[in-house]
Amino acid sequence: MTEIIRVLITDDHPVFRQGLKGLLQALGVDVVGEAENGPDAVRLAAELQPDVVVMDLHMPGGNGIEATRTITRTSPRIGVLVLTMFRDDDSVFAAMRAGARGYLLKESGAEEIARAVKAVAAGEAIYGPEIARRVLTYFTDMPDPKRAAFPELTDREREVLTLIAQGRSNSDIAGTLFLSQKTVRNHVSNIFMKLHVADRSQAIVVAREAGLGKSSRT
């Protein structure tokens, strides 16, 4: 026999809470409590120990991000499913960092909400289609921090700078990149000019602060 899922609903709109409660109860979910703000959710979660807290984010009297962070820290077994109208990246990633296992928009259908509650109760992470696309796009489009640090450099100049940051000499760099020493000297001069540094030691400091050369020999 499947164990009944116990849920605490947190939302500042009574009509929405009642509608969600009716939907979940019709699906066999046990709604053990309701909260209208973050602090109430934290208190009731500690008292009732539900399997899942369905959490709105922006509520008068205490937001859902802080409540999620507190609940997941003090009661790790409780899963938090965010159900909100906010679809912006700041809200999505703040909820993820706070420990939410799921993130759905309030426009989601009944079946999707029910599926998410069951998944979160089972310890899974689940996101609505639009939110999943946003997360995927964010990580796919995330720039290389090393490239972002020196957009003025060419790819070859960045390779040379990385080797400079590792403490390599011009002759060593030439051998590594199969270039003539004259070509390497030209690249080094261009790097110094573009980064506004006076010498090799300053270039090494700037490069290492940006994360270049740290994982290799120095």
Side-chain angles (χ1 to χ4, degrees), residues 32-83:
V32 297
E34 299 176 39
E36 62 180 19
N37 55 49
D40 283 351
V42 171
R43 177 178 56 80
L44 288 173
E47 176 185 330
L48 301 172
Q49 288 295 303
D51 300 305
V52 178
V53 176
V54 178
M55 182 77 70
D56 193 10
L57 289 186
H58 300 282
M59 300 170 286
N63 71 66
I65 297 296
E66 287 303 320
T68 297
R69 183 176 293 111
T70 301
I71 291 169
T72 57
R73 185 180 66 245
T74 57
S75 301
R77 63 163 294 278
I78 298 176
V80 176
L81 169 63
V82 171
L83 185 59

Side-chain angles (χ1 to χ4, degrees), residues 3-10 20 24 29-35 41 44-46 48-56 68 71-72 75-83 99-104 113-126:
E3 187 174 345
I4 295 176
I5 299 171
R6 302 172 70 253
V7 172
L8 168 66
I9 297 173
T10 304
L20 181 58
L24 294 175
V29 173
D30 183 12
V31 178
V32 297
E34 299 176 39
L44 288 173
L48 301 172
Q49 288 295 303
D51 300 305
V52 178
V53 176
V54 178
M55 182 77 70
D56 193 10
T68 297
I71 291 169
T72 57
S75 301
R77 63 163 294 278
I78 298 176
V80 176
L81 169 63
V82 171
L83 185 59
R101 290 185 199 162
Y103 197 111
L104 292 184
I113 293 173
R115 184 170 62 250
V117 168
K118 293 176 181 177
V120 169
E124 301 173 16
I126 187 164

Side-chain angles (χ1 to χ4, degrees), residues 70-210:
T70 301
I71 291 169
T72 57
R73 185 180 66 245
T74 57
S75 301
R77 63 163 294 278
I78 298 176
V80 176
L81 169 63
V82 171
L83 185 59
T84 180
M85 66 175 60
F86 293 93
R87 65 185 76 216
D88 60 286
D89 288 349
D90 287 344
S91 295
V92 172
F93 292 108
M96 292 173 66
R97 286 191 295 269
R101 290 185 199 162
Y103 197 111
L104 292 184
L105 299 176
K106 285 186 174 180
E107 63 197 44
S108 302
E111 290 185 3
E112 188 176 357
I113 293 173
R115 184 170 62 250
V117 168
K118 293 176 181 177
V120 169
E124 301 173 16
I126 187 164
Y127 301 92
E130 179 181 337
I131 301 304
R133 284 193 296 271
R134 295 174 77 90
V135 172
L136 181 61
T137 299
Y138 175 83
F139 287 108
T140 300
D141 294 344
M142 185 179 290
D144 180 346
K146 296 176 183 177
R147 181 178 295 275
F150 305 113
E152 66 271 37
L153 300 184
T154 65
D155 289 342
R156 177 62 82 184
E157 288 167 351
R158 192 172 292 103
E159 288 178 330
V160 172
L161 179 59
T162 298
L163 294 173
I164 290 175
Q166 294 172 10
R168 308 287 188 91
S169 66
N170 281 2
S171 60
D172 195 1
I173 293 172
T176 299
L177 299 180
F178 302 101
L179 301 173
S180 70
Q181 292 196 42
K182 179 180 179 181
T183 299
V184 171
R185 286 196 298 271
N186 288 338
H187 283 315
V188 171
S189 295
N190 289 336
I191 290 167
F192 288 179
M193 179 184 65
K194 290 180 178 181
L195 299 186
H196 306 290
V197 296
D199 54 33
R200 207 175 192 88
S201 61
Q202 288 184 11
I204 289 174
V205 170
V206 169
R208 289 186 176 179
E209 285 180 347

